Amino acid sequence: MKTCVIIGAGGRGKDSYAPCIEKGNLMKIVGVVEPDRQKREQFQKRYNVEENMCFEDYKEFFAKGKLADAVIICTQDRMHTEPTLLAKECGYHILLEKPIAPTLKEVKLLEREFEDYGKIFMTGFVLRYTPFVKKLKEIIGSGEIGEIVTMSLNENEGFWHHAHSYVRGPWSNSRESSPLIVAKSSHDMDLMLYLIGSSCKYISSYGSNFYFKPENAPGPVPERCTDGCEYKDKCIYNSVKQYTEGKAEYFVHKFECGNKKEDIINALKHNPYGRCVYRCENDVCDHQVVCMEFESGVTAVFTVSAFSLENNRTIKLMGSRGEVGGCLETGEILVKRFSDMSERRIKIDHGTSKHAGGDAGLMEHFAYAVENADSIKEKVDRWMFESHKIAFAAERARVKNIRIKM
Ligand SMILES: NC(=O)c1ccc[n+]([C@@H]2O[C@H](COP(=O)([O-])OP(=O)(O)OC[C@H]3O[C@@H](n4cnc5c(N)ncnc54)[C@H](O)[C@@H]3O)[C@@H](O)[C@H]2O)c1
């Protein structure tokens, strides 16, 4: 069985990918690199990692040379390029979390560096590996809806999810992470490329941080919801309500304080998630639209928005002989055929892994690629560079208010 090391044992490395690898018996996890002692020790115990294969920092790990077949790099956005280049020097098969880099310059650097890499190099575009998207691809490939002419994709973030990650959380400031369209929606750019199967030619984009700023506060508000805010009962973003009884309860495990209400409230007094959403100094968009024309003549519109109740993606592809669309999270697909005016409903079961089965699907694909690397011709996933370039172009088009030729 091939071996792998997890670099960055946080939300992705420890809580998402490692369990998928173990559950699917896909690879042997032989090492962990994580500066946070508690997380590192938890990981070591859970996966029986030898003491000499636990490291605090990736530089220390890579200095030892090649200790496994593959690395899965799950550090934060601004810490992707350096460990990836070090992994290349050692000759690892690499899975690098998306976004592969926080700037266009670094994306281009990685593209150049990996031009002739003889090992697997891919990124965490989990959506491609969901049973839902695989089914869409199969329907498109079958010709049932004819040639694709246009598509729309909506990323409905959920107001509570956006507030957690993109107002209070690590992706709220584009200088510290990357713009929303890169951090969150490079996935979607990839999905559109994948389903349309053609390169993007023109792109324009509009959007802003419309709502989460001081002038939209209901009145004078304290820095934290726990500081006696007089609007706390009516505020839908009140962190105490959100994290103890609202949808953001889902994220409480990140506080590492347990599930007791008083412990959660105590954590909110100090951590970034207790801050008032109108006073977070965030700058990333809370809504953005991207319009695209592809080389094949296909057009597409993508919308990402904080302002939805649910966190899901809805998609519709319109072809010359029919339509196909649905919701990724509910797994419902509707196919309509023009020839006999028929409608066909399909319900996808995507199991229990996160991202509608995409996390498990990605790990299965990566493990398969590592196992069969010798016979795989395209070892480096070239599309990931294009998806990222589209996301950066969309951001540039938005900021400069221009139409970009890719
Ligand atoms: N593919 C997806 O769908 C998806 C979803 C969410 C996040 N992400 C991306 O995954 C990445 C990780 O996100 P996360 O939510 O797991 O973040 P996280 O902050 O929970 O985890 C990152 C971990 O890296 C560790 N780290 C810091 N310095 C390190 C070093 N020098 N060496 C090794 N580890 C170090 C941190 O201590 C932390 O535990 C980000 O780039 C994020 O954008 C991808």
Side-chain angles (χ1 to χ4, degrees), residues 168 224-229 231-233 235-250 252 255 259-277:
R168 294 171 163 136
R224 288 178 175 275
C225 307
T226 45
D227 289 346
C229 177
Y231 304 98
K232 69 178 189 318
D233 294 334
C235 179
I236 56 171
Y237 295 101
N238 175 351
S239 61
V240 174
K241 264 198 293 192
Q242 271 301 330
Y243 289 102
T244 60
E245 56 194 72
K247 285 200 169 219
E249 258 186 314
Y250 168 78
V252 162
F255 302 176
N259 283 329
K260 280 199 203 133
K261 189 170 177 176
E262 63 264 35
D263 294 336
I264 297 170
I265 295 174
N266 265 333
L268 291 170
K269 288 181 182 162
H270 310 287
N271 74 17
Y273 303 101
R275 291 178 300 157
C276 170
V277 289

Side-chain angles (χ1 to χ4, degrees), residues 7-13 17 33-36 39 56-58 74-77 79-80 97-99 124-126 171 183 187 254 355 359:
I7 301 179
R12 302 302 295 160
Y17 293 143
V33 188
E34 169 58 55
D36 183 309
K39 288 189 203 170
E56 285 183 28
D57 177 50
Y58 61 78
C74 301
T75 42
Q76 271 296 350
D77 297 6
M79 210 185 271
H80 282 181
E97 253 307 357
K98 52 92 348 213
F125 282 148
V126 290
W171 298 281
H187 269 312
K254 288 193 180 279
H355 287 111
D359 287 4

Side-chain angles (χ1 to χ4, degrees), residues 42-56:
Q42 253 180 24
F43 192 101
Q44 177 183 12
K45 211 167 144 202
R46 171 85 170 70
Y47 296 100
N48 287 322
V49 178
E50 302 280 343
E51 187 61 34
N52 65 348
M53 286 295 281
C54 298
F55 303 86
E56 285 183 28

Side-chain angles (χ1 to χ4, degrees), residues 102-140:
T103 63
L104 182 59
K105 199 171 156 199
E106 285 179 53
V107 168
K108 288 182 176 172
L109 171 79
L110 288 176
E111 188 176 22
R112 280 195 308 276
E113 287 285 334
F114 281 87
E115 203 176 338
D116 303 315
Y117 195 51
K119 299 281 171 90
I120 302 297
F121 178 35
M122 54 186 280
T123 192
F125 282 148
V126 290
L127 301 183
R128 278 198 215 181
Y129 306 99
T130 58
F132 177 88
V133 170
K134 283 184 188 162
K135 190 71 191 174
L136 284 186
K137 189 80 178 159
E138 184 191 309
I139 293 168
I140 295 164

Side-chain angles (χ1 to χ4, degrees), residues 212-372:
F212 298 97
K213 44 194 180 186
E215 54 269 40
N216 287 324
V221 284
E223 200 177 315
R224 288 178 175 275
C225 307
T226 45
D227 289 346
C229 177
E230 63 175 289
Y231 304 98
K232 69 178 189 318
D233 294 334
K234 284 200 176 143
C235 179
I236 56 171
Y237 295 101
N238 175 351
S239 61
V240 174
K241 264 198 293 192
Q242 271 301 330
Y243 289 102
T244 60
E245 56 194 72
K247 285 200 169 219
E249 258 186 314
Y250 168 78
F251 295 114
V252 162
H253 65 276
K254 288 193 180 279
F255 302 176
E256 306 211 338
C257 70
N259 283 329
K260 280 199 203 133
K261 189 170 177 176
E262 63 264 35
D263 294 336
I264 297 170
I265 295 174
N266 265 333
L268 291 170
K269 288 181 182 162
H270 310 287
N271 74 17
Y273 303 101
R275 291 178 300 157
C276 170
V277 289
Y278 305 106
R279 296 189 57 181
C280 283
E281 295 180 4
N282 48 299
D283 70 353
V284 300
C285 287
D286 56 20
H287 71 128
Q288 187 165 355
V289 181
V290 181
C291 301
M292 285 178 261
E293 185 179 336
F294 289 77
E295 295 285 356
S296 57
V298 173
T299 54
V301 179
F302 168 69
T303 304
V304 56
S305 168
F307 306 102
S308 64
L309 182 61
E310 306 298 341
N311 170 224
N312 62 23
R313 283 181 169 88
T314 46
I315 186 166
K316 185 170 174 183
L317 291 126
M318 286 167 268
S320 52
R321 300 182 63 80
E323 305 168 20
V324 61
C327 172
L328 174 71
E329 283 68 14
T330 62
E332 284 154 5
I333 295 180
L334 178 61
V335 192
K336 296 184 187 178
R337 272 205 309 232
F338 302 157
S339 56
D340 56 4
M341 311 273 274
S342 66
E343 285 191 5
R344 185 158 59 88
R345 284 175 199 279
I346 302 165
K347 178 88 173 114
I348 302 290
D349 176 9
H350 44 62
T352 51
S353 109
K354 288 184 197 161
H355 287 111
D359 287 4
L362 172 74
M363 282 302 113
E364 281 161 22
H365 185 88
F366 182 57
Y368 176 87
V370 169
E371 186 72 46
N372 298 284

